[in-house]
Amino acid sequence: MSSIIDGVDQRTNLAGTNRLELLLFRLGTAQLYGINVFKVREAIACPNLTKLPQSHPNIKGMASIRGQTVSIVDLSQSIGRRSLEDLADNFVILTEYNRSVQGFLVTSVERIINISWSDVLPPPAASGASNYLTAITKFEDKLVQIIDVEQVLAEVMGIEADVSSELVNNYSEHNQEIRQHILVVDDSSVARNQIKRTLEQIGLEITLAKNGKEALDMLKAWEAAGEDIYEKIALMISDIEMPEMDGYTLTSEVRLDPAMKSLPILLHTSMSGTFNQALVSKVGADKFIPKFSADELAAAVQSMLK
């Protein structure tokens, strides 16, 4: 099964082209789900699991995979569906999110598809704020649901968004009379709120956008209204993988506009990998940091605002 994602390193040339590859899988029904191939290490038959006492109920157990102890998360149960039971017939998608490696238990791994981010849309408003979808798309006339994995991990593993008092005090001492405005772009509601909470602790005002297209439309509207973009916002923080327009394309579009081409841009993503560093220069971003360390994010923002 791991052969389905052989050559993933060669797929990095998609970055910056507003395209992505999704690994499709199922959770016990005909419904298709998708996960960005960049976040996938391999897909394997479910190994033997060791259940740890007092672990989160959505963690099916721990497994030793290639010399590393990995938490295996029941993805179906995590999004409010029925728990997956027949482990011998199930599979694990091994992923790297937010500086950690975890496995997601699924019933089947289907195939990889190559699509444009413009064909990936936000979930319908009718699905409600409590849903676990970050986006939807279609493949061969079938709906593909893209799960907000950051929300799943935040609930299962927990993420610390508090900034150390040293960083808070350091920033306050130098910016007592300045309340700078930051544009934060991320398709995950959990991630947006984490970033907002972190940056508000160091005295920053935050405007939120759900994807690259919404952020670019916002910037263009401010420009059309005669506002000076550099006075309006001091910095833009953007996720990379987002529906309709990814963070790389958003950065490229900003750099092409004379009214905002020098806007400082920080790319902030759960996608790990050295290719991200190379793409920072390719698209013209100023800095890249992986999610999620509250102190590292606060320190990076402080450095860029000085």
Side-chain angles (χ1 to χ4, degrees):
M1 183 59 65
S2 60
S3 61
I4 199 170
I5 57 168
D6 284 348
V8 67
D9 290 339
Q10 282 71 50
R11 302 180 190 277
T12 58
N13 59 5
L14 289 176
T17 64
N18 210 39
R19 298 190 67 82
L20 80 156
E21 287 187 323
L22 288 176
L23 176 63
L24 303 185
F25 60 91
R26 300 182 194 271
L27 297 173
T29 67
Q31 176 61 56
L32 282 172
Y33 297 91
I35 187 172
N36 194 323
V37 169
F38 280 146
K39 297 181 178 179
V40 177
R41 284 191 170 188
E42 60 181 321
I44 59 175
C46 183
N48 293 327
L49 302 183
T50 301
K51 183 67 176 178
L52 297 181
Q54 299 182 336
S55 62
H56 192 283
N58 292 346
I59 296 180
K60 210 70 173 178
M62 307 295 290
S64 179
I65 301 176
R66 310 209 186 286
Q68 184 173 11
T69 301
V70 179
S71 297
I72 307 300
V73 178
D74 185 332
L75 194 51
S76 179
Q77 185 172 316
S78 296
I79 63 172
R81 299 176 57 86
R82 186 172 58 186
S83 174
L84 303 179
E85 298 300 337
D86 298 324
L87 301 187
D89 297 325
N90 290 340
F91 296 88
V92 167
I93 300 176
L94 196 65
T95 67
E96 188 171 356
Y97 277 88
N98 296 353
R99 308 175 187 232
S100 66
V101 176
Q102 55 285 129
F104 292 111
L105 187 68
V106 302
T107 54
S108 67
V109 177
E110 302 296 317
R111 59 178 294 179
I112 288 174
I113 61 172
N114 182 312
I115 58 176
S116 169
W117 273 114
S118 61
D119 295 325
V120 180
L121 303 174
S127 59
S130 62
N131 76 86
Y132 286 86
L133 302 184
T134 188
I136 58 171
T137 190
K138 279 193 173 183
F139 174 68
E140 295 181 346
D141 293 326
K142 295 178 181 178
L143 180 69
V144 177
Q145 298 182 350
I146 302 174
I147 295 173
D148 188 346
V149 177
E150 292 181 66
Q151 180 173 340
V152 170
L153 292 178
E155 294 178 358
V156 174
M157 309 293 189
I159 296 179
E160 180 58 62
D162 289 336
V163 180
S164 66
S165 57
E166 181 181 356
L167 284 172
V168 173
N169 294 336
N170 177 61
Y171 192 77
S172 298
E173 288 174 3
H174 295 89
N175 297 272
Q176 293 178 350
E177 298 180 0
I178 302 175
R179 187 165 177 84
Q180 292 174 304
H181 189 185
I182 309 296
L183 175 60
V184 172
V185 192
D186 202 299
D187 64 324
S188 168
S189 60
V190 166
R192 288 195 303 272
N193 289 330
Q194 287 168 347
I195 298 167
K196 182 174 185 288
R197 177 182 169 187
T198 295
L199 298 184
E200 284 180 340
Q201 291 174 66
I202 58 173
L204 300 175
E205 291 183 349
I206 311 299
T207 291
L208 300 174
K210 295 188 293 292
N211 57 57
K213 182 179 183 300
E214 181 175 278
L216 188 61
D217 288 346
M218 194 178 295
L219 289 165
K220 295 282 189 182
W222 289 336
E223 181 184 340
E227 298 198 56
D228 186 322
I229 298 298
Y230 305 120
E231 292 184 0
K232 182 71 176 180
I233 58 172
L235 170 69
M236 180 171 73
I237 301 173
S238 177
D239 188 15
I240 290 178
E241 59 159 6
M242 296 179 288
E244 297 192 274
M245 179 183 290
D246 67 20
Y248 291 133
T249 304
L250 169 62
T251 301
S252 297
E253 290 293 324
V254 169
R255 293 293 180 246
L256 290 173
D257 190 320
M260 62 182 87
K261 65 180 182 180
S262 297
L263 178 68
I265 298 176
L266 169 64
L267 294 180
H268 184 233
T269 177
S270 59
M271 292 197 298
S272 302
T274 55
F275 75 92
N276 285 308
Q277 299 288 358
L279 263 294
V280 168
S281 298
K282 178 180 176 181
V283 302
D286 296 280
K287 190 176 181 64
F288 159 80
I289 60 171
K291 293 177 181 175
F292 183 82
S293 164
D295 275 2
E296 183 174 358
L297 175 60
V301 169
Q302 288 176 357
S303 174
M304 293 178 71
L305 293 179
K306 285 182 179 178

